[in-house]
Amino acid sequence: MRLINVKAFLEREGLIREGKRVDRRAKVLEFGDDEVTEYAILSHRWTEQEVDYNEIVELAKMDKEERSEIRQRDGYRKILQSCEQARKDGYKWLWVDTCCIDKRSSAELSEAINSMYRWYENSRICYAYLHDLPGPSFPISSDNETYHKSRGWPEWFSRGWTLQEMIAPRHVQFFNKDWHPIGDKRALAPTLQTITQVPQDILKDGLSSNRPCVAQIMSWAANRTTTRVEDRAYSLMGLLDVNMPMLYGEGRKAFHRLQLEIIRTSNDQSIFAWGCREMRQTGSILAEDPSFFWGCDKMELMNQDEFIESLRERIPEEELADDRLGTFPITNRGIQIWLFLCPQVGDSVFQALLPCRSHPSQPPVAIDVALWESNFYRYPGCIRREGGRLQLRQVYLRYQGMPHCNSTFEIDDSAITKSGFAASATWPQGIITENTVIPISTDILDLKCYSENRGNRFAVGLGHWFGQNWIHVICEEPGATLWTPHHLMLKRASEYAQSMKKARSGAARCRVCIMETRLPRSTWVLQTSCVMWKSSRICGVKLDVFQNPRFGIASGEWTGFDVDGTDDPDRDWRGLMIRHCPSEQHGHEILVDGVSIEFSFAPHGIKLGDYGHFTDSGYFCCEGNVFAELKSLSSKANITPRKHKISEWGGEQGENDIVRAYHHSGAFAKLYKPLGLSLPSNDNFRSLLVALSTRLTNRYLITTVVQCSPNPRLSSSGIWYSIAKPFVWHRNEGAGSGGESGDVRRWVTKRELPFIMV
């Protein structure tokens, strides 16, 4: 370590002060061995007027004006006063962090930070300088008026680095702003414990006598701050007896690295026992910073026998003596560990018991973990359902961070407001404005509540879980005296996300999910629809209600749909089409403008724009045509069909004007001079779909046709079609929104198609 030569420094200062000639070759900094050298050390709060290594070394060589500016700084005055105090106490050497480290060298800085705890521990005396304390003693209680920036105490007590500088040295002498002594650490131990939460025995005898658990040590730093976020981790290395390289610029990752280093050298599971005061996102089993350990100042470890005995009534007899609990290696999948788990919410959220307790004589600490895709993550719900049978399971606790969704939810609730429902509350308060929700990236839930004058109330929750969006609806139960929907949703967020994920995975190209929920004590059914637009991070949510006197048809589960139109840059709900996929027996693939689309053969012929329904026998019954509907409305709106290029796999037109439509079995049908036509996607046509929605609910629409010219040699001449249900026409099949029309003019059967084999 590099130390200040107290005598040389004070002699140089005396000569400068007297205006005498200074020997420019005189050294004021020299290397020494902390194990054998008797030296004093300074602990202080850094300010903007510190003096660094180069300025101390080069001071004698500077011109008068520059030298005067440095000597007038508060940082220089601290060094000078420390040297004078060290000389008074009989010490020849002094270490000050501002000027004894050449911070231009990253290697030297890293070595100093990794050695800092030892340097303070090996010092003969530490001078703790409190620059903002005017009186002769500490405040007798928190003074927020005087020390509003540092939790009511002198600023020295709020800084990250000064924690180890208080604990490591055997002797600490405190000084006020005028360098008048206040007292030593031993005598002031009761007051220091009140201020810092560090136990008196640690202040008097250090960590070597009875080292506390990791969580308790972390708790001492919970309310402390540092200028660089990485220093919140680096300043704790000595207290936790670990070393690691410095990587300034890594941000919060430094604290994650610190915890992983602790796990590699210790089996102290209290490192997982941090609370959920600050936590808002499910994710890593590791805490984001020391503040997560707030409230762990009484935490203590339990030995294995004591831990097992406390769980005797809740675990099988064969697992009472188990030697698998003591190790938890770090793997690339996560931290591999054996834990006692108790289910809390279905099969997704569990309570894990740890061999530590928050206070003496208390039961083991329980934390909540969530299962997602075979790994366990820390869960923020703070569920506490006591009791229950425990399972000893080997699990992987993920320490890698989860991706955050920064999506914007757009709510369209115009349909329910027209039906008499109104937004009554939001949570967090004010986060939802008008029909748009922009969740904060650290929130896992935003909530909007609705009610109507007949007493029906429901809440729509929108949140993030494991990098994806989730939405759910809960209704007020009859007789509820206190309705807290946000607590109910937080508890089951994992299940809601799993349900939505399952619905999305059930459709090959799922972009729209629909859920229907019956409102209690009524015939109302709430339909919630969700679409994730491909071209943006916008998640659209559409709410609608309808009357349905039939009970039991609203499952409250999500259903995923194959949908076309989600890449529409206009992000218009009206143009979305729920795809109707033909059975494998009938579906043939053709390229339409280079995009593969499945078509079915219509031997009896149909037209673009026909709409109708399917019978139980699999017949498509045509009830009308949207182009004819437009004429009946005497509208002059332009809804001219779009034309498309038809080609086969490989993008070729084919020889002799023949295009082959391939079946999944390898068979194909030959199409002669095919012409592709599809419905337009302009606002006029979308408005027409909306206008027809009230009487064409659940009707299907011929959206694309391929017309083939007659060719007597080909049996597949005629019309090929794809069919879909406009999203604005979709409603639950049991909604009673019109039966099968009597105006059935023609139909297409799902019969076996003729194939031309090769």
Side-chain angles (χ1 to χ4, degrees):
M1 64 188 305
R2 191 182 278 109
L3 294 163
I4 297 174
N5 184 323
V6 172
K7 180 180 178 181
F9 183 91
L10 293 177
E11 286 181 351
R12 186 180 71 177
E13 173 60 23
L15 293 172
I16 294 174
R17 189 180 301 161
E18 295 171 4
K20 296 181 179 180
R21 185 171 179 272
V22 179
D23 184 357
R24 297 187 176 187
R25 294 172 299 176
K27 292 184 179 180
V28 296
L29 293 177
E30 300 182 36
F31 283 99
D33 186 344
D34 62 289
E35 298 287 348
V36 297
T37 306
E38 294 187 358
Y39 60 92
I41 201 165
L42 176 65
S43 174
H44 64 110
R45 163 71 172 103
W46 278 44
T47 68
E48 296 180 355
Q49 293 188 326
E50 300 299 339
V51 179
D52 63 24
Y53 164 80
N54 190 62
E55 290 170 325
I56 284 292
V57 171
E58 301 294 331
L59 188 69
K61 302 177 183 178
M62 295 178 183
D63 58 50
K64 185 176 180 180
E65 183 177 347
E66 185 177 6
R67 181 190 300 171
S68 177
E69 186 275 327
I70 290 174
R71 291 177 59 246
Q72 290 177 14
R73 294 182 195 172
D74 290 341
Y76 186 86
R77 304 302 300 174
K78 277 188 292 191
I79 298 171
L80 177 60
Q81 294 282 5
S82 300
C83 286
E84 290 177 347
Q85 186 64 44
R87 181 174 62 180
K88 185 187 301 183
D89 294 337
Y91 296 105
K92 298 179 179 179
W93 304 97
L94 172 71
W95 190 85
V96 180
D97 55 0
T98 55
C99 63
C100 290
I101 306 171
D102 186 356
K103 299 175 185 63
R104 296 172 298 182
S105 168
S106 59
E108 182 173 334
L109 177 61
S110 181
E111 179 187 1
I113 291 177
N114 276 278
S115 306
M116 194 131 357
Y117 184 88
R118 189 185 77 242
W119 289 351
Y120 275 91
E121 185 178 39
N122 289 339
S123 66
R124 294 300 183 265
I125 190 169
C126 175
Y127 301 137
Y129 175 63
L130 279 57
H131 74 283
D132 54 353
L133 179 65
S137 62
F138 293 146
I140 59 175
S141 62
S142 177
D143 184 355
N144 289 313
E145 184 176 347
T146 303
Y147 304 106
H148 62 278
K149 294 182 179 180
S150 51
R151 299 179 294 104
W153 301 100
E155 199 171 358
W156 186 86
F157 292 105
S158 69
R159 306 304 296 176
W161 287 104
T162 55
L163 177 61
Q164 71 171 5
E165 295 164 11
M166 176 183 67
I167 294 173
R170 186 170 180 81
H171 300 289
V172 180
Q173 179 70 48
F174 289 90
F175 295 86
N176 69 5
K177 63 179 298 186
D178 298 318
W179 280 90
H180 294 149
I182 299 170
D184 62 57
K185 180 171 70 170
R186 286 176 169 271
L188 295 170
T191 303
L192 292 174
Q193 179 176 340
T194 300
I195 299 173
T196 66
Q197 305 300 312
V198 179
Q200 292 187 48
D201 62 311
I202 300 297
L203 293 169
K204 293 178 179 179
D205 302 320
L207 290 173
S208 57
S209 60
N210 184 22
R211 179 177 288 273
C213 66
V214 169
Q216 185 180 158
I217 294 175
M218 293 284 199
S219 74
W220 303 337
N223 290 321
R224 292 176 177 258
T225 60
T226 57
T227 302
R228 298 289 296 269
V229 65
E230 296 88 351
D231 285 337
R232 297 204 73 182
Y234 302 159
S235 62
L236 291 170
M237 291 193 303
L239 291 166
L240 295 162
D241 196 25
V242 295
N243 296 96
M244 63 184 194
M246 307 299 101
L247 297 172
Y248 282 104
E250 64 177 329
R252 289 180 179 268
K253 290 181 181 179
F255 193 65
H256 272 219
R257 279 204 301 130
L258 175 70
Q259 293 169 88
L260 292 176
E261 288 298 326
I262 294 169
I263 292 170
R264 289 188 180 98
T265 59
S266 167
N267 62 358
D268 185 340
Q269 291 189 29
S270 74
I271 196 169
F272 307 126
W274 45 273
C276 54
R277 180 186 72 148
E278 300 288 344
M279 189 182 184
R280 309 182 80 174
Q281 272 282 10
T282 300
S284 172
I285 192 65
L286 304 179
E288 288 191 16
D289 60 59
S291 69
F292 282 45
F293 289 89
W294 182 89
C296 296
D297 53 296
K298 303 297 183 186
M299 188 81 67
E300 63 178 31
L301 296 178
M302 304 172 67
N303 62 53
Q304 183 167 314
D305 292 340
E306 185 181 20
F307 176 57
I308 294 293
E309 184 63 29
S310 69
L311 305 177
R312 177 175 292 275
E313 297 181 358
R314 301 179 60 190
I315 57 179
E317 186 68 28
E318 63 271 14
E319 295 176 354
L320 289 176
D322 201 293
D323 59 357
R324 293 173 290 184
L325 303 176
T327 59
F328 37 101
I330 298 172
T331 72
N332 59 356
R333 178 176 170 183
I335 299 169
Q336 185 180 2
I337 189 171
W338 287 87
L339 290 175
F340 285 108
L341 299 179
C342 178
Q344 296 292 292
V345 180
D347 295 324
S348 59
V349 179
F350 298 80
Q351 190 180 78
L353 281 300
L354 304 176
C356 56
R357 52 194 172 202
S358 58
H359 291 82
S361 303
Q362 291 291 309
V365 169
I367 63 171
D368 295 318
V369 293
L371 176 63
W372 186 266
E373 297 179 344
S374 76
N375 290 322
F376 283 79
Y377 298 79
R378 186 64 191 268
Y379 180 68
C382 295
I383 300 170
R384 286 293 177 266
R385 190 183 72 190
E386 301 298 336
R389 196 71 168 170
L390 294 174
Q391 318 162 4
L392 181 61
R393 292 174 57 178
Q394 186 183 52
V395 301
Y396 287 89
L397 301 177
R398 291 283 289 185
Y399 57 84
Q400 299 89 340
M402 290 297 299
H404 294 312
C405 280
N406 293 318
S407 302
T408 298
F409 289 90
E410 287 187 352
I411 298 180
D412 179 0
D413 57 4
S414 56
I416 63 172
T417 56
K418 291 178 181 177
S419 300
F421 289 83
S424 57
T426 63
W427 189 87
Q429 187 174 5
I431 194 66
I432 302 177
T433 58
E434 298 180 352
N435 287 339
T436 301
V437 180
I438 306 178
I440 301 171
S441 60
T442 54
D443 281 347
I444 64 168
L445 171 66
D446 294 304
L447 200 72
K448 192 169 186 178
C449 301
Y450 296 87
S451 61
E452 49 104 41
N453 54 17
R454 284 164 290 190
N456 287 303
R457 288 203 297 173
F458 64 88
V460 180
L462 310 105
H464 304 306
W465 186 270
F466 294 103
Q468 68 177 41
N469 300 318
W470 65 267
I471 304 165
H472 197 74
V473 174
I474 59 173
C475 304
E476 181 182 18
E477 294 299 325
T481 55
L482 179 63
W483 196 45
T484 54
H486 55 285
H487 290 312
L488 296 174
M489 285 203 184
L490 281 173
K491 285 184 178 181
R492 311 194 78 90
S494 179
E495 288 186 336
Y496 301 151
Q498 292 276 19
S499 174
M500 203 158 189
K501 180 184 177 185
K502 181 180 178 181
R504 285 172 173 159
S505 63
R509 301 193 308 165
C510 176
R511 289 291 173 178
V512 171
C513 294
I514 296 176
M515 176 176 63
E516 293 179 345
T517 311
R518 178 172 293 281
L519 304 186
R521 304 188 303 270
S522 75
T523 57
W524 284 110
V525 172
L526 171 69
Q527 180 174 280
T528 308
S529 310
C530 167
V531 59
M532 191 70 196
W533 302 103
K534 292 180 183 179
S535 57
S536 68
R537 293 182 176 179
I538 293 177
C539 183
V541 182
K542 185 177 179 64
L543 304 177
D544 194 6
V545 291
F546 56 87
Q547 293 278 1
N548 190 335
R550 296 173 56 189
F551 289 90
I553 59 92
S555 66
E557 298 292 331
W558 287 102
T559 301
F561 294 88
D562 286 334
V563 171
D564 290 329
T566 56
D567 51 356
D568 185 343
D570 295 331
R571 300 194 304 274
D572 193 334
W573 285 93
R574 299 171 299 166
L576 295 182
M577 294 284 176
I578 301 176
R579 299 174 63 240
H580 173 74
C581 298
S583 66
E584 290 185 352
Q585 183 180 6
H586 304 98
H588 282 61
E589 286 190 61
I590 313 172
L591 296 184
V592 179
D593 292 338
V595 178
S596 177
I597 296 180
E598 288 192 45
F599 287 84
S600 295
F601 181 55
H604 298 285
I606 58 175
K607 295 195 304 242
L608 180 70
D610 283 350
Y611 61 82
H613 64 274
F614 283 103
T615 68
D616 293 338
S617 301
Y619 290 90
F620 173 74
C621 299
C622 180
E623 303 172 24
N625 185 278
V626 292
F627 294 98
E629 296 280 358
L630 185 65
K631 292 180 180 178
S632 68
L633 296 173
S634 300
S635 172
K636 296 182 180 180
N638 178 19
I639 55 171
T640 303
R642 293 180 296 175
K643 295 182 179 181
H644 304 278
K645 176 184 177 182
I646 304 300
S647 56
E648 61 185 59
W649 288 352
E652 299 298 328
Q653 180 71 35
E655 297 180 0
N656 301 319
D657 296 323
I658 294 176
V659 172
R660 289 174 292 186
Y662 284 89
H663 188 259
H664 76 96
S665 64
F668 62 84
K670 292 184 178 181
L671 313 182
Y672 181 63
K673 293 185 177 180
L675 171 65
L677 297 174
S678 71
L679 297 173
S681 61
N682 54 38
D683 285 340
N684 290 331
F685 183 73
R686 293 169 183 165
S687 298
L688 176 62
L689 294 179
V690 175
L692 298 174
S693 63
T694 55
R695 64 184 182 87
L696 296 183
T697 299
N698 287 331
R699 296 309 189 258
Y700 289 87
L701 180 64
I702 305 300
T703 58
T704 309
V705 296
V706 176
Q707 299 175 349
C708 303
S709 299
N711 189 323
R713 294 180 300 169
L714 299 179
S715 60
S716 54
S717 300
I719 298 291
W720 291 74
Y721 72 97
S722 66
I723 192 167
K725 180 187 294 184
F727 183 80
V728 294
W729 293 5
H730 174 81
R731 183 157 290 173
N732 186 284
E733 297 291 347
S737 54
E740 296 180 358
S741 171
D743 182 22
V744 179
R745 292 182 288 128
R746 58 187 182 274
W747 57 87
V748 177
T749 65
K750 294 184 177 180
R751 62 180 178 79
E752 185 175 353
L753 302 180
F755 300 127
I756 297 177
M757 304 299 295
V758 292

